[in-house]
Amino acid sequence: MDDIKRDLEEQIPVLSEKYPCVLVIGPRQAGKTTLLKRLMGENRSYVNLEDYEERRMAKTDPVLFLQMHALPIYIDEIQYAPELLVYLKIAVDNGAGPGTFWLASSQNFPELTALCESSAKGVAVCRLSFLSQHEMYGRGKQTPFSVHLNGLVQRKQNHKAADLGEMYERIWRGSMPKQSNGGSEDWAAFYNSYLQSYIERDAGELVSLSDKMQFRDFIRAAACRTGQMLNLHQIAQEVGISDDTARRWLVVLERTHLIFCLYPYQDEKLRRAIKAPKLYFADTGLVAYLTRYGSPEILMNGALSGSILENYAVGEIVKSYALSRDCRFWYYRDKEGKEIDLILEREGWLCPLEVKRSANPEQKCTRVFSILDKASLPRERGAVLCLRGELAAFNSNDLMVPVWMI
């Protein structure tokens, strides 16, 4: 699927006509290089900082590096030479023309954040995730997920329906471009290779790993807790590391986009909310591999099938907002154990969503949505994301939305 059309594909040329610098950031093997090379045309020079000689020059003599390469330029894996960013900022601030610099990075790091914040009007930031199910199986234009009926009807037309078995095939297969269209016999070998490469080339750049197998165990322990509230002390004890080490390693996973966290919705009128974040992985195929579910059928019947389904649903909703900045994502859980899996905060409204591993969820699972009636922002229609085949409703305020429609 390297040649699949990405939802971001139409946005980058538009941004390149407005901003001197376009930054595409996302996890390793999300398809950043494939996408940007396809778009860059013949006049743009290309340099990959995984090349040691290019990296050495960029780090030791950034001025010479920029003089050696014709503009406009696409600099891949910019995280390997943060020293360059000071000079790129100077060029942007001094009036570099639109589209002069294209950058791609597999990591967030302080210098990159500083460039984006200090040159906000000169740098356009695009986030490229792994493939969405819309990109893999859908058609038409991607739109942000919402519970508005017109939008859901459009999603029904643009997305490919999937029954229970096919949904777990999608979840198990994962969404990395190089794997999602491959044969199942290569699945384990692919993810094993991916992890080795990730630990050597991404994590190894950020932290000294005296025991790389222990770090791999840390990733596996985190995967076993996907969709759950984060308990770093518990993970640290299981792996045999200190809480401080576990905290540093979690930051590495976040900075390299292997995981993301949902933070609890906080409101002064909801005083009993728990403050711990929930943990999710960027790719459910990797979670299935780490938790040793060797086939979609085993995953579908496994103890973590519900948690990994939630990971998939939440991840797909987040992906649907890749081209939009008007939504914030939360969850809710209080000290009585009442929980809302996902809350969308958009356009001044709160939209509660539950994820259920059921084709016929019970209406009582929507009762928890009423908690948000006490919040400062108004609550709109909610929905249960489930494994049924068609869109349905409990009533006018609570819908049942198939996961394949996200």
Side-chain angles (χ1 to χ4, degrees):
M1 288 194 178
D2 280 351
D3 60 347
I4 194 171
K5 181 176 173 60
R6 305 302 301 267
D7 292 330
L8 193 60
E9 197 161 321
E10 295 179 1
Q11 189 178 36
I12 290 174
V14 174
L15 293 173
S16 192
E17 293 178 357
K18 297 179 180 179
Y19 293 86
C21 182
V22 176
L23 166 66
V24 178
I25 190 166
R28 177 173 295 281
Q29 293 196 23
K32 300 184 295 296
T33 301
T34 299
L35 172 62
L36 291 175
K37 279 191 170 183
R38 186 161 65 217
L39 296 176
M40 73 180 199
E42 297 179 358
N43 295 328
R44 185 175 299 274
S45 59
Y46 171 76
V47 58
N48 190 331
L49 294 183
E50 287 191 329
D51 182 295
Y52 177 78
E53 290 302 321
E54 295 284 8
R55 187 191 311 184
R56 181 186 60 79
M57 184 186 300
K59 292 176 70 68
T60 60
D61 197 338
V63 174
L64 178 61
F65 174 87
L66 291 174
Q67 291 174 344
M68 292 284 291
H69 296 285
L71 301 179
I73 188 171
Y74 164 25
I75 305 174
D76 207 352
E77 304 292 356
I78 189 68
Q79 73 273 6
Y80 289 130
E83 295 84 356
L84 263 180
L85 295 179
V86 172
Y87 297 90
L88 295 179
K89 178 184 181 303
I90 292 172
V92 169
D93 293 345
N94 286 342
T100 301
F101 303 106
W102 283 8
L103 311 177
S105 177
S106 300
Q107 300 174 12
N108 278 324
F109 54 97
E111 294 86 351
L112 197 63
T113 302
L115 171 70
C116 298
E117 291 177 349
S118 62
S119 301
K121 295 182 180 180
V123 180
V125 181
C126 303
R127 301 189 181 278
L128 186 70
S129 63
F130 296 123
L131 294 168
S132 68
Q133 66 173 355
H134 171 263
E135 290 171 325
M136 287 189 282
Y137 311 111
R139 61 188 179 187
K141 187 176 181 180
Q142 171 71 298
T143 57
F145 177 85
S146 77
V147 292
H148 299 163
L149 287 177
N150 289 342
L152 290 171
V153 170
Q154 187 64 51
R155 301 186 85 81
K156 181 178 178 179
Q157 296 173 353
N158 289 348
H159 288 64
K160 180 183 177 183
D163 60 17
L164 175 66
E166 185 175 342
M167 276 312 312
Y168 273 96
E169 172 73 25
R170 293 182 185 184
I171 294 168
W172 179 84
R173 175 72 57 199
S175 54
M176 295 188 188
K178 290 186 177 180
Q179 162 58 23
S180 57
N181 200 33
S184 61
E185 65 273 15
D186 300 323
W187 180 84
F190 172 84
Y191 279 112
N192 180 61
S193 176
Y194 179 86
L195 269 180
Q196 290 179 348
S197 176
Y198 168 80
I199 292 172
E200 293 288 342
R201 298 163 67 184
D202 288 292
E205 290 285 326
L206 296 175
V207 63
S208 175
L209 298 173
S210 57
D211 189 343
K212 294 178 180 178
M213 290 304 298
Q214 196 169 40
F215 184 70
R216 188 175 177 128
D217 290 342
F218 174 80
I219 300 175
R220 175 173 285 112
C224 290
R225 293 162 174 82
T226 191
Q228 301 177 26
M229 287 191 299
L230 180 63
N231 187 329
L232 269 178
H233 177 69
Q234 187 182 71
I235 295 175
Q237 283 191 316
E238 180 176 323
V239 179
I241 56 178
S242 68
D243 287 6
D244 285 343
T245 298
R247 192 171 296 107
R248 289 197 304 271
W249 286 2
L250 186 78
V251 170
V252 171
L253 299 187
E254 284 190 286
R255 283 180 59 179
T256 53
H257 313 287
L258 201 70
I259 66 166
F260 65 96
C261 290
L262 275 189
Y263 290 87
Y265 179 71
Q266 298 293 323
D267 189 296
E268 61 181 10
K269 298 181 180 180
L270 302 174
R271 299 181 182 276
R272 300 185 64 79
I274 288 174
K275 297 182 178 180
K278 286 178 73 173
L279 176 68
Y280 298 94
F281 272 68
D283 180 68
T284 53
L286 179 61
V287 177
Y289 171 75
L290 287 165
T291 51
R292 299 185 171 90
Y293 289 115
S295 72
E297 294 75 22
I298 296 174
L299 171 60
M300 183 169 60
N301 296 298
L304 292 178
S305 61
S307 296
I308 298 179
L309 175 67
E310 179 182 329
N311 191 147
Y312 184 82
V314 171
E316 289 299 318
I317 289 176
V318 171
K319 290 175 187 177
S320 80
Y321 281 87
L323 307 183
S324 173
R325 297 292 182 269
D326 67 347
C327 187
R328 304 173 74 184
F329 308 97
W330 313 99
Y331 87 101
Y332 176 85
R333 184 181 176 90
D334 61 26
K335 295 178 181 178
E336 284 77 40
K338 296 176 181 177
E339 182 174 353
I340 301 173
D341 291 333
L342 179 63
I343 300 171
L344 308 184
E345 181 185 344
R346 61 191 302 267
E347 300 175 348
W349 292 78
L350 300 177
C351 173
L353 302 170
E354 276 287 301
V355 183
K356 293 298 181 183
R357 188 191 175 284
S358 171
N360 295 291
E362 298 181 0
Q363 185 173 0
K364 65 180 181 181
C365 66
T366 66
R367 294 173 187 168
V368 69
F369 294 168
S370 63
I371 290 174
L372 296 183
D373 293 338
K374 302 175 183 177
S376 300
L377 293 177
R379 172 172 70 97
E380 66 172 337
R381 175 188 289 127
V384 177
L385 309 175
C386 57
L387 294 171
R388 67 179 293 109
E390 294 290 337
L391 179 66
F394 294 111
N395 51 54
S396 61
N397 290 321
D398 300 306
L399 304 181
M400 288 179 276
V401 179
V403 172
W404 62 261
M405 285 180 58
I406 299 174

